[in-house]
Amino acid sequence: MSKKTRWAWVEIDLGAVAHNVHVLRAAASPAAVWAVVKADAYGHGAVPAARAAVEAGADSLCVALVDEGLELRAAGIDAPILVLSEQPPEQAAAAAAAGLQLTVSSPAGIAAARGTPMHLKIDTGMHRAGCAPGDAVALAREAGADLVGVSTHLACADDPASPVTAGQLECFTRVLAELRGAGIDPGIVHAANSAAALAHPAARFDAVRAGIAVYGARPGPGVADVCADLRPVMRLVARVSSVRRVGAGEGISYGHRYRTSSVTTAATVPLGYADGVPRRYGLVGGEVLVGGRRRPIAGVVTMDQLVLDCGTASVAVGDEVVLIGHQGDEEITVEEWAERLDTITYEVTCGIRRRVPRRWS
């Protein structure tokens, strides 16, 4: 789908991707930077984002699924690719054929991945995936010469005040010492996500796995001060599709949960919750930019459309509407969306569906 097929699209600034990779490389040095491009690069387009990241100096790429790695290989991307969690055994042959590296955390996973470069994942407190610390030496021995890395994942790195990160790193360091004491070379050691890469120097080890920071968004409010040099990559844009005058006291959208306080100009925008704009966004104060000024979303967002209360402003069909990004001197950020919706920036960008066409530049 191209921009011309509908009055809504996403602009992706690949120059900002490159800039952010440079920022991360400077911050994490001498650790390598691995760009996480899972979930279609968090909604930014996996193949273009991966190419931009590698060209800017990312040493490796990370995905969540074997199929995501295969998509990159099919596009001709030959950089190292790590699959971040243990996959179904049936996927191992395809991963090996594509030269992917696999994360393992169990005897079954190691057996399936035999002959493929493996990264042993340790559960140091996230309690989502990975082997128990006490099982690491035995599993590393089982992986043998295929073991090329050891990793963990940090649960609270976006909160610098949390003691959890230090506890996890202590546990991870102890496991690494046990491995080395047993005569096992752990290979490439990695633990840091975006938040840890920027805010926790002790977590950087040999490589950092940077995801949301590559796309210019804060991992969380607790690390905002170390993200100042990052540039937003995504701009979500539409055009006004319909304009009407609505009288005072009239209800707008389903359930009439918004009523006009005076005679107003109501502008319809062809984006809805099927595109990734949450149904409740207008009810929690969601705004957009029209003519360089903020305008509230009136009532609930519907599946394919939303309505704006533009007051006395002159608005016409075809006028640009910015939901994420700059217009004039104003800006609406993914952080603002996340704060209003009580979520995180990751969910905001990942939620912008593929039916909204992307334009990369």
Side-chain angles (χ1 to χ4, degrees):
M1 185 183 291
S2 72
K3 172 187 168 183
K4 295 180 180 179
T5 62
R6 61 177 299 199
W7 271 354
W9 65 96
V10 176
E11 297 173 358
I12 304 296
D13 182 355
L14 296 176
V17 170
H19 168 84
N20 295 335
V21 170
H22 290 310
V23 169
L24 288 159
R25 290 182 69 199
S29 181
V33 171
W34 296 355
V36 182
V37 294
K38 64 180 180 178
D40 199 33
Y42 296 29
H44 294 78
V47 170
R51 284 195 179 119
V54 170
E55 288 171 4
D59 299 274
S60 185
L61 301 168
C62 302
V63 297
L65 307 172
V66 170
D67 283 350
E68 292 176 333
L70 298 182
E71 177 187 8
L72 299 179
R73 289 288 188 249
I77 295 172
D78 60 3
I81 299 172
L82 171 64
V83 184
L84 289 170
S85 61
E86 193 167 275
Q87 299 295 294
E90 296 79 9
Q91 293 281 294
L100 306 183
Q101 300 179 21
L102 293 175
T103 294
V104 295
S105 55
S106 71
I110 291 170
R114 186 69 63 200
T116 303
M118 302 182 200
H119 293 243
L120 179 64
K121 188 168 190 173
I122 316 297
D123 178 10
T124 59
M126 180 79 173
H127 301 317
R128 181 184 65 176
C131 72
D135 294 336
V137 169
L139 289 172
R141 283 196 177 119
E142 199 166 334
D146 293 328
L147 183 70
V148 297
V150 173
S151 70
T152 193
H153 193 64
L154 302 173
C156 301
D158 58 341
D159 178 7
S162 172
V164 171
T165 300
Q168 284 194 258
L169 291 175
E170 182 181 352
C171 176
F172 190 49
T173 302
R174 186 167 59 250
V175 171
L176 294 172
E178 291 171 358
L179 290 169
R180 292 179 175 121
I184 297 169
D185 179 1
I188 300 172
V189 176
H190 50 107
N193 53 12
S194 288
L198 291 166
H200 297 276
R204 291 170 187 157
F205 295 102
D206 299 320
V208 301
R209 306 182 303 264
I212 198 68
V214 170
Y215 311 109
R218 294 197 308 261
V223 292
D225 59 332
V226 293
C227 299
D229 292 335
L230 299 177
R231 293 181 187 169
V233 172
M234 176 180 286
R235 188 170 183 258
L236 176 59
V237 191
R239 295 201 181 277
V240 172
S241 59
S242 175
V243 177
R244 71 202 66 244
R245 296 292 284 171
V246 177
E250 292 290 328
I252 294 179
S253 195
Y254 287 125
H256 281 186
R257 298 177 68 178
Y258 182 95
R259 288 194 175 272
T260 57
S261 58
S262 60
V263 176
T264 192
T265 298
T268 301
V269 180
L271 274 171
Y273 60 76
D275 301 299
V277 185
R279 186 174 185 271
R280 71 186 187 283
Y281 191 41
L283 304 180
V284 297
E287 296 177 316
V288 307
L289 302 177
V290 183
R293 293 188 59 186
R294 286 175 173 263
R295 302 295 179 186
I297 297 172
V300 298
V301 174
T302 66
M303 184 179 289
D304 310 298
Q305 300 174 96
L306 55 86
V307 182
L308 309 177
D309 184 342
C310 294
T312 60
S314 176
V315 181
V317 170
D319 283 356
E320 182 187 77
V321 180
V322 174
L323 291 90
I324 297 173
H326 281 279
Q327 188 185 65
D329 295 330
E330 279 280 4
E331 181 183 17
I332 292 176
T333 65
V334 292
E335 287 84 4
E336 178 179 324
W337 276 51
E339 183 176 355
R340 291 188 186 278
L341 294 163
D342 191 26
T343 186
I344 57 175
T345 53
Y346 305 70
E347 186 176 15
V348 173
T349 63
C350 288
I352 307 302
R353 308 287 171 77
R354 283 196 177 192
R355 83 170 193 165
V356 186
R358 267 60 172 171
R359 185 175 74 186
W360 296 273
S361 62

